[in-house]
Amino acid sequence: MVEKKQGKVYLVGAGPGDPKLITVRGIELIAQADVIVNDRLANPILLKAARPDAEIVYVGKASRDHTLPQGEIIKVIIERALEGQMVVRLKGGDPFVFGRGGEEAQALAEAGIDFEVVPGITSAIAAPAYAGIPVTHRSLSASLGIITGHEAAGKPDSDIKWDKISTGLDTLVFLMGIEHLDEIVQALVKNGRAEDTPVALVRWGTHPIQQTVVGTLANIVEVAEQNGITPPAVTIVGDVVRMREAISWFENRPLFGKRIIVTRAESSGDSLSVQLMNLGAQVDEYPVIKFIDPPDFVVVDSAIAELNTFDWIVFTSANGVEWFVRRLFDRGHDVRSLTNIKIAAIGPKTAESVRKMRLKVDYVPTKYVAESVIEEFPENISARKILIPRASEAREELPSGLRGLGAEVVVAPVYQTITDQSSAEPLRERLQARDVDIVTFTSASTVNSFFELADDVDTSQMTAACIGPITAASAGSRGFINIISASEYTIEGLVDSLIGHYSGNGKSL
Ligand code: SAH
């Protein structure tokens, strides 16, 4: 019998929370692993990079309640490695900074199992950085200590040399220090650190819910209590804390602290969500609509059969382009059938979809609504034949306006928009928590479906961020009082309006 090859273990630092702060090596190993043994502080979003068939073992530890004792964790890792698996042991921050990574490496070495260590960005440095606190600074701090706050500071046989560190180091960063904050402060003061030394606590650092409070050794315990600071948080002691006033950047982004629901369909939701997150928002995606085949393809198929009789195609959404071209191909045609037809797109996003199909766009109006398409049409369309491939349910303004100019208009449903019922439960749960600040709507149908899923929602404390006037009117008619309407009717325009509205309103220091 061939002996089974032994596996290998990677002790990987997941970084402090912001999923982008993992290393390239770390994410590459997650993507390859057979087994991922995950911690409480490693962001679970990182597991999205794992193979669908990877085994995920959660061994999360909250401050008091240990899910799996350390001995058991080591046992699981060794077992899997002996079975020949590739194991990624994912740990918050850096595996060797109070992560017990040292012990795990030791156990692996003793068991004769091959392993590698992938360092991570530790919360001891990243949480202060995201709070606008450099842990060293040419004129304020020439030394840094990273200290466990886990052991009771008063105990006589403490491993921490309080007499040396209290005044011997400029910046002190305590991890796991919230439960013993009182004793830590007392030990520092007793050992000579000035009572007016600034102290900052950064909770869930680098996460969108990061919270920072500032005080001095004299009052930080009180400040922590008043603000309900609970783990995980780092404690930073030293003059560098003052730098925050000048260089706090993460918490000063325009949408920091805002909780936003994005309602667009999943396939197209990415760019809006990402843009909002990059501005500091905490984004939850609940696609309230989805796209399916139209009730039938009769109209579009007969139009496709006689495409050479049309003068123009007017696309009113990127979806319209995608579904029309798909049907064209399904019917055995390709873009050559469009040779003599001019193409209009209602806005830049739709135009981009047309160009992606390697087709030229002949006309985009200056405002991205039906009314502008009609008013600004670049040629006399009297007696011209126009095809509008679009959703089966849509406003009548465009076809009737074009008919008013004498055109023969064929409206061809190429997809239909329906409410995505699978979002109902998670959406309602989120709304019940009453912590949503903004809901984005990118079409009137997202407004309607949102209320279909959550009909009894109280909108008085929420703001509707709408892509244009039609969507805004829908939101208003459904009870929203606070409405932001984009002045340019695109996703970028929507994001710009949000920035304009909230600039300077980010949480202050
Ligand atoms: N290896 C980890 C530390 C593990 S000890 C690292 O390098 O970051 C766990 C402690 O780390 C927590 O009690 C808390 O003090 C700190 N911590 C981890 N992630 C944090 C975060 N996102 N924000 C604030 N503190 C964090």
Side-chain angles (χ1 to χ4, degrees):
M1 209 176 89
V2 186
E3 203 179 311
K4 201 164 180 193
K5 208 170 146 252
Q6 191 185 291
K8 185 163 176 174
V9 178
Y10 297 84
L11 300 173
V12 176
D18 179 339
K20 297 254 167 100
L21 293 184
I22 191 169
T23 59
V24 174
R25 179 71 173 143
I27 201 78
E28 177 182 279
L29 291 168
I30 289 175
Q32 294 168 3
D34 299 310
V35 185
I36 299 172
V37 181
N38 196 23
D39 233 51
R40 169 170 178 258
L41 288 172
N43 195 329
I45 286 177
L46 293 170
L47 299 177
K48 281 194 180 167
R51 283 177 7 217
D53 62 333
E55 182 195 2
I56 312 289
V57 184
Y58 180 72
V59 295
K61 286 193 230 167
S63 192
R64 277 169 217 269
D65 116 69
H66 291 230
T67 309
L68 254 196
Q70 186 63 24
E72 291 292 314
I73 297 175
I74 289 173
K75 228 174 97 188
V76 170
I77 295 171
I78 291 179
E79 252 170 39
R80 297 294 193 281
L82 289 175
E83 285 166 13
Q85 316 253 46
M86 168 179 173
V87 183
V88 163
R89 166 69 170 123
L90 197 57
K91 288 169 163 293
D94 180 90
F96 281 4
V97 177
F98 300 122
R100 303 188 75 163
E103 286 163 59
E104 289 175 17
Q106 228 175 344
L108 291 166
E110 274 165 25
I113 289 167
D114 206 9
F115 68 92
E116 282 184 26
V117 181
V118 182
I121 297 181
T122 177
S123 63
I125 289 169
Y130 270 51
I133 302 170
V135 287
T136 71
H137 186 274
R138 240 172 95 85
S139 56
L140 294 174
S141 166
S143 57
L144 161 70
I146 299 173
I147 303 146
T148 174
H150 195 53
E151 63 169 68
K155 75 174 191 188
D157 58 342
S158 169
D159 290 331
I160 299 169
K161 296 160 192 74
W162 291 99
D163 55 330
K164 303 241 169 38
I165 63 148
S166 295
T167 52
L169 289 166
D170 294 326
T171 306
L172 304 174
V173 176
F174 291 89
L175 301 189
M176 305 172 283
I178 295 306
E179 279 161 4
H180 295 297
L181 189 60
D182 196 6
E183 296 153 61
I184 291 169
V185 165
Q186 281 180 31
L188 291 174
V189 172
K190 205 174 99 197
N191 286 282
R193 194 77 182 224
E195 275 206 321
D196 62 356
T197 308
V199 183
L201 308 177
V202 184
R203 178 169 192 265
W204 282 118
T206 79
H207 287 260
I209 55 166
Q210 172 173 308
Q211 181 187 6
T212 307
V213 297
V214 176
T216 60
L217 282 177
N219 70 5
I220 194 67
V221 172
E222 211 180 312
V223 171
E225 261 166 35
Q226 278 162 1
N227 290 282
I229 301 289
T230 51
V234 299
T235 305
I236 307 128
V237 179
D239 289 334
V240 285
V241 168
R242 286 190 230 281
M243 292 293 297
R244 175 172 157 75
E245 277 167 40
I247 63 171
S248 171
W249 58 275
F250 184 71
E251 294 168 33
N252 283 355
R253 292 169 309 156
L255 299 181
F256 178 74
K258 298 279 177 285
R259 185 147 204 160
I260 304 185
I261 287 182
V262 169
T263 57
R264 36 186 354 215
E266 217 148 19
S267 55
S268 52
D270 267 18
S271 69
L272 175 59
S273 298
V274 169
Q275 288 182 55
L276 296 174
M277 282 188 242
N278 288 340
L279 293 165
Q282 191 182 355
V283 176
D284 301 293
E285 282 183 356
Y286 302 107
V288 296
I289 53 171
K290 65 177 178 186
F291 308 113
I292 59 169
D293 279 349
D296 64 69
F297 288 101
V298 175
V299 181
V300 69
D301 285 353
S302 63
I304 285 173
E306 47 170 41
L307 268 180
N308 56 355
T309 66
F310 284 89
D311 301 291
W312 281 89
I313 297 187
V314 179
F315 288 109
T316 59
S317 70
N319 264 323
V321 178
E322 200 183 301
W323 287 73
F324 173 73
V325 172
R326 190 184 305 163
R327 188 66 188 172
L328 190 69
F329 273 68
D330 286 352
R331 303 299 292 169
H333 297 261
D334 63 24
V335 290
R336 285 171 295 182
S337 313
L338 301 168
T339 315
N340 293 314
I341 307 180
K342 287 189 182 159
I343 297 180
I346 198 164
K349 192 79 197 294
T350 308
E352 195 186 305
S353 297
V354 173
R355 287 189 203 103
K356 262 193 205 143
M357 304 293 174
R358 291 286 179 259
L359 292 164
K360 195 177 113 207
V361 181
D362 299 288
Y363 163 45
V364 181
T366 53
K367 278 191 162 185
Y368 314 138
V369 284
E371 288 72 3
S372 294
V373 178
I374 301 159
E375 272 166 33
E376 299 170 18
F377 222 97
E379 64 179 41
N380 186 344
I381 49 170
S382 170
R384 294 296 163 94
K385 208 168 159 191
I386 301 179
L387 177 64
I388 308 179
R390 64 174 197 181
S392 57
E393 61 305 301
R395 297 167 66 229
E396 277 316 301
E397 273 72 2
L398 182 60
S400 65
L402 295 175
R403 281 185 193 117
L405 296 174
E408 182 190 338
V409 178
V410 175
V411 174
V414 286
Y415 67 96
Q416 62 178 318
T417 308
I418 60 166
T419 301
D420 188 345
Q421 297 294 341
S422 67
S423 293
E425 223 180 282
L427 175 64
R428 280 194 212 124
E429 261 170 38
R430 174 83 280 132
L431 291 169
Q432 266 158 18
R434 293 186 167 268
D435 57 359
V436 174
D437 300 298
I438 300 163
V439 186
T440 65
F441 294 112
T442 47
S443 63
S445 60
T446 58
V447 177
N448 293 334
S449 292
F450 176 80
F451 283 98
E452 195 182 319
L453 296 174
D455 52 348
D456 53 354
V457 57
D458 171 12
T459 53
S460 60
Q461 302 302 316
M462 294 190 296
T463 296
C466 302
I467 199 159
I470 314 285
T471 308
S474 284
S477 74
R478 302 303 289 256
F480 270 102
I481 300 158
N482 312 312
I483 298 173
I484 297 171
S485 185
S487 37
E488 195 201 80
Y489 314 147
T490 59
I491 295 298
E492 285 68 27
L494 177 59
V495 172
D496 282 345
S497 305
L498 278 167
I499 296 175
H501 188 86
Y502 289 102
S503 276
N505 280 357
K507 262 186 207 159
S508 53
L509 298 176

